[in-house]
Amino acid sequence: MQTMTLFSGLALREVLENSLIPPFVAQTGVAIRRVYEPTSVLRDLVRQGEQPDVIIGTSVALDEMAAEGEVRPESIRTLVRSDIGIAMAPAAPTYPLATPADLGELLHRVGSVAYSAAGASGAVFERVLGDLDLAEVVRPKAVVLASGFTAEAVRDGRAEIAVQQISELAAVEGISILGSLPAELGAHIELSAAIGVHADDPAIAQRFIREIRSDRHRDVYARAHLVPLTQG
């Protein structure tokens, strides 16, 4: 049986596993080896010698990988936009999150904030903190995770709130999603897919990318809190 190796960020793990990979495998008979990690970790694996056929990660990172000869530039296709949000325990008091001032008040009130060190959401959150002059407020109460779902820290009591892509927050049971960061902060991540330069079968890799970008999957992405971008 032919095997294709897929590297993907965590934001798409649930939708890939539950809705997109099974029908593709059934239609093609191709087995898919999957590795789910933050894009920065996936890049490190490629630099260490891994040779994925398809990589799904932040658009910025894939452009950089194309420049470094790690993915095929002509194969890059935009996939979804993933908004960054906040999760908390279901029994915790809720707070408005419509404006930057609301976010600032929330971050002043809570005693601990979990976010990702390696994930793209962590970099965006740190940029937001800098823009709002809140870095010194959050730093003493930060629970910084090396990898994985930050909402796990809410569920096990390490943090009062967790910041990550909403699709990743939603993958953790037993938590409540407060909402997206205020729209004017531009706190979202664009994800794309590309074919690795060492792909064993570029044609099947291209077919997989074309399939996951199909317009018929729009509702699947929407249910996973992801916004489909250009389809085709």
Side-chain angles (χ1 to χ4, degrees), residues 9-12 37-40 56-62 78-85 115-128 163-169 180-183 185-193 221 224-229:
L10 293 168
L12 280 153
E37 293 287 355
T39 305
S40 60
I56 299 173
T58 66
S59 297
V60 170
L62 289 186
T78 54
L79 187 57
V80 295
R81 190 188 79 225
S82 182
D83 292 336
I84 295 170
Y115 63 95
S116 171
S121 63
V124 172
F125 182 55
E126 289 185 338
R127 188 265 299 165
V128 167
V163 179
Q164 203 166 30
Q165 295 174 61
I166 291 183
S167 57
E168 296 174 331
L169 297 174
S180 301
L181 297 187
L185 299 177
H188 60 262
I189 295 165
E190 182 183 280
L191 300 170
S192 294
Y221 286 119
H225 306 279
L226 297 163
V227 180
L229 299 176

Side-chain angles (χ1 to χ4, degrees), residues 2-232:
Q2 182 179 356
T3 299
M4 185 187 83
T5 296
L6 168 66
F7 278 14
S8 174
L10 293 168
L12 280 153
R13 187 173 80 176
E14 299 301 312
V15 70
L16 285 166
E17 289 294 314
N18 297 330
S19 302
L20 302 182
I21 288 177
F24 182 82
V25 172
Q27 293 165 11
T28 63
V30 175
I32 299 182
R33 171 187 171 238
R34 286 92 100 174
V35 177
Y36 298 108
E37 293 287 355
T39 305
S40 60
V41 176
L42 298 176
R43 290 189 71 182
D44 286 342
L45 291 174
V46 171
R47 289 165 178 161
Q48 292 164 17
E50 288 273 2
Q51 298 181 355
D53 298 284
V54 174
I55 303 176
I56 299 173
T58 66
S59 297
V60 170
L62 289 186
D63 285 341
E64 293 172 353
M65 293 178 75
E68 294 175 11
E70 295 166 343
V71 300
R72 302 180 183 214
E74 73 283 359
S75 74
I76 298 175
R77 297 290 183 273
T78 54
L79 187 57
V80 295
R81 190 188 79 225
S82 182
D83 292 336
I84 295 170
I86 292 178
M88 56 189 3
T94 60
Y95 299 89
L97 197 57
T99 68
D102 291 336
L103 175 61
E105 182 175 354
L106 170 62
L107 293 175
H108 275 92
R109 284 178 175 268
V110 298
S112 48
V113 182
Y115 63 95
S116 171
S121 63
V124 172
F125 182 55
E126 289 185 338
R127 188 265 299 165
V128 167
L129 294 178
D131 291 345
L132 299 180
D133 199 24
L134 291 169
E136 294 305 317
V137 172
V138 171
R139 185 172 291 114
K141 58 182 76 176
V143 178
V144 183
L145 279 65
S147 62
F149 295 119
T150 64
E152 296 282 2
V154 169
R155 188 167 65 177
D156 64 25
R158 283 176 290 162
E160 287 187 45
I161 65 171
V163 179
Q164 203 166 30
Q165 295 174 61
I166 291 183
S167 57
E168 296 174 331
L169 297 174
V172 178
E173 296 182 358
I175 57 95
S176 178
I177 296 175
L178 184 61
S180 301
L181 297 187
E184 59 260 52
L185 299 177
H188 60 262
I189 295 165
E190 182 183 280
L191 300 170
S192 294
I195 299 173
V197 292
H198 299 292
D200 289 333
D201 189 340
I204 201 66
Q206 184 179 46
R207 180 174 174 180
F208 178 78
I209 293 174
R210 187 166 55 246
E211 172 61 26
I212 64 175
R213 297 182 77 246
S214 171
D215 193 58
R216 64 179 174 275
H217 297 312
R218 293 185 69 86
D219 289 344
V220 170
Y221 286 119
R223 289 194 296 272
H225 306 279
L226 297 163
V227 180
L229 299 176
T230 304
Q231 306 296 303

